[in-house]
Amino acid sequence: LRPRSKHQETCFVYAYGEMSVCLLPHCLKYIISTPLLLSSSDFSQICYLFYFSVRSLLSVISVFLLFSLQINCVTFPLPGESPEQQLLKPNEWSYCDYFWNDKKDPQGTTSVAGFEVLLQKQLKGKQMQKEMAEFIHERIKIEEEYAKNLSKLSLNPLAAQEEGTLGEAWTQLKKSLHDEAEVHLKFSSKLHTEVEKPLLTFRCDNFKKDLKKYDHHIADLRKQLASRYTSVEKARKALADRQKDLEVKTQQLEIKLSNKTEEDIKKARRKSTQAGDDLMRCVDLYNQTQCKWFEEMVTTSMELEKLEVERIEWIQQHLRQYTTLRHETDMFNQSMVEPVDQLLQNVDPAKDRELWVRENNTGDVRPVDMDI
């Protein structure tokens, strides 16, 4: 019989499985308990049935292994061969749903584990945080230099002899530069204490050590999984070898090539059964190890996700503090410009002329014509 569809193939696999499970106990019963009561032909047929049963069971195991995909010792379902998996945290783009596979590097020569990608994101976030602090530090230096230059300029004696209402406005303008310099100095100081310093000190203690602990823990589980996978492959090969040996012994019994064939078949049968048990045990241990790795991956990736959320919210909070300080600085600067603006509006050329004339006039008697 040949399967005509994947569904029919699956039905065949289950049928072979049930057949082998039903046949094996009966074959063992007759072969072990009543070998002397059986004729040579009956014994040969029962041994063949046993061989068929073991081979069917091996086929079932092989087919189910074919229905899955092993990538770097991790087992995944084949695309389209199993029901679609539901996300652990739907609609959240959570770390625990999207980093199970390994990722090829840009050159395609080596692969990086999904968990390693998450760790690199944490380290990159730490570096970005450091660079933001450096950026704010440069901003502080500019503010300090600007304040220094403003203060120096406010003491410049240029146009100090301007008089009248215009002179008052000019004097106030120069004074506002000095006040503005003080505001920018305070702004730079607050930038340091309320923005730069928090960015520098956030998670400085043991952060990288904690990441290394996560890394070593998951890496150890992957090593254990790789070891279990190697054991499964060895056990699968051993079962195939024992099955092949049993097949050869069964064929020898059919053509009567050796007097010791029946005894050899019993030994081969026991070894084949033991190899099958070893394979099932190795698969069970592998699945237990993979389950533990899966659980730790979910827990740890969600912890890293939480850390990333905290980092972003922390930076957001202090960058908003930057904008608040910036608005305050603008308000102070505006308040210092307002007196200058008021004095400029009160500048009166006629009054300035009057004040200047009163102070500097040389006499108001005009010349007259000469009399002879």
Side-chain angles (χ1 to χ4, degrees):
L1 295 176
R2 297 284 182 183
R4 298 180 180 179
S5 66
K6 281 295 180 183
H7 174 72
Q8 197 175 64
E9 181 178 0
T10 304
C11 293
F12 282 10
V13 169
Y14 279 112
Y16 272 113
E18 286 193 30
M19 190 185 304
S20 60
V21 169
C22 293
L23 285 175
L24 278 173
H26 294 293
C27 292
L28 288 173
K29 175 182 175 182
Y30 282 106
I31 293 174
I32 295 175
S33 62
T34 60
L36 300 178
L37 301 180
L38 298 173
S39 65
S40 177
S41 60
D42 290 340
F43 184 81
S44 175
Q45 290 178 4
I46 290 177
C47 287
Y48 183 77
L49 283 175
F50 180 84
Y51 156 74
F52 172 77
S53 302
V54 174
R55 187 183 182 102
S56 298
L57 186 59
L58 180 61
S59 299
V60 171
I61 295 173
S62 300
V63 169
F64 276 112
L65 288 174
L66 287 174
F67 281 173
S68 60
L69 178 67
Q70 283 74 38
I71 302 176
N72 291 340
C73 306
V74 180
T75 301
F76 298 95
L78 282 175
E81 297 295 338
S82 61
E84 183 178 356
Q85 294 180 342
Q86 297 298 316
L87 297 176
L88 298 176
K89 300 181 71 176
N91 302 321
E92 294 189 28
W93 292 96
S94 175
Y95 287 176
C96 66
D97 280 318
Y98 295 98
F99 292 90
W100 294 107
N101 294 334
D102 294 345
K103 181 180 181 181
K104 290 287 186 180
D105 67 359
Q107 289 74 27
T109 55
T110 59
S111 60
V112 179
F115 187 74
E116 185 66 27
V117 175
L118 293 178
L119 290 179
Q120 291 175 359
K121 170 61 175 172
Q122 291 292 317
L123 293 174
K124 181 181 179 181
K126 183 66 176 177
Q127 179 62 26
M128 294 302 98
Q129 173 188 324
K130 179 182 177 182
E131 291 182 9
M132 288 180 186
E134 292 177 358
F135 181 90
I136 297 298
H137 181 71
E138 292 300 316
R139 181 75 171 89
I140 291 171
K141 288 169 63 176
I142 291 173
E143 285 295 319
E144 291 174 342
E145 186 67 21
Y146 182 55
K148 178 182 176 181
N149 290 334
L150 281 179
S151 181
K152 182 179 178 180
L153 183 60
S154 69
L155 300 176
N156 193 299
L158 292 175
Q161 297 179 1
E162 181 60 56
E163 301 171 335
T165 56
L166 182 59
E168 292 177 5
W170 177 250
T171 301
Q172 183 61 41
L173 186 147
K174 291 173 64 177
K175 182 178 181 301
S176 71
L177 292 184
H178 176 77
D179 295 339
E180 186 179 353
E182 292 296 323
V183 170
H184 282 278
L185 278 177
K186 291 180 180 179
F187 176 52
S188 65
S189 177
K190 288 185 176 181
L191 279 182
H192 173 69
T193 57
E194 299 180 23
V195 181
E196 179 193 12
K197 189 174 180 181
L199 290 177
L200 282 174
T201 57
F202 182 61
R203 288 185 184 156
C204 282
D205 298 335
N206 301 322
F207 178 69
K208 289 188 176 181
K209 289 184 180 180
D210 292 339
L211 290 186
K212 285 184 178 180
K213 288 180 181 178
Y214 290 140
D215 188 18
H216 291 163
H217 180 57
I218 298 299
D220 287 343
L221 290 176
R222 278 296 292 265
K223 289 178 182 178
Q224 294 176 26
L225 189 61
S227 176
R228 295 299 187 192
Y229 181 78
T230 301
S231 298
V232 169
E233 290 300 304
K234 289 182 179 179
R236 189 191 306 181
K237 184 178 183 301
L239 178 58
D241 292 341
R242 297 303 181 189
Q243 178 62 28
K244 184 177 181 180
D245 182 58
L246 179 59
E247 183 178 357
V248 171
K249 295 294 193 299
T250 303
Q251 291 174 353
Q252 290 177 350
L253 176 64
E254 292 175 354
I255 60 178
K256 309 292 184 180
L257 291 179
S258 172
N259 295 329
K260 295 183 179 181
T261 301
E262 293 183 6
E263 185 65 29
D264 292 341
I265 286 180
K266 292 179 181 179
K267 291 181 180 179
R269 185 177 61 250
R270 287 195 297 270
K271 291 180 179 180
S272 181
T273 303
Q274 182 62 44
D277 292 341
D278 290 342
L279 176 58
M280 298 305 294
R281 180 180 58 83
C282 289
V283 170
D284 185 54
L285 291 174
Y286 169 85
N287 287 335
Q288 291 179 25
T289 303
Q290 182 171 259
C291 182
K292 183 178 180 181
W293 171 76
F294 171 84
E295 292 173 352
E296 292 298 319
M297 274 286 292
V298 172
T299 302
T300 309
S301 62
M302 291 183 68
E303 180 65 25
L304 294 180
E305 181 179 314
K306 179 182 176 183
L307 291 175
E308 178 64 5
V309 171
E310 290 175 354
R311 182 188 76 89
I312 292 175
E313 290 179 345
W314 178 268
I315 293 176
Q316 178 194 28
Q317 174 188 345
H318 289 86
L319 291 184
R320 292 183 67 180
Q321 181 63 16
Y322 167 83
T323 60
T324 299
L325 293 173
R326 188 71 181 84
H327 287 314
E328 289 179 357
T329 301
D330 291 341
M331 290 175 60
F332 283 125
N333 287 336
Q334 183 63 31
S335 66
M336 285 176 291
V337 170
E338 288 175 359
V340 177
D341 186 55
Q342 185 66 37
L343 288 174
L344 287 174
Q345 290 180 12
N346 294 333
V347 169
D348 185 349
K351 187 175 181 180
D352 284 4
R353 185 172 63 251
E354 176 188 349
L355 292 174
W356 184 83
V357 169
R358 285 179 178 276
E359 183 176 347
N360 296 281
N361 74 87
T362 58
D364 58 354
V365 178
R366 296 184 297 276
V368 295
D369 292 339
M370 180 184 298
D371 290 336
I372 299 176

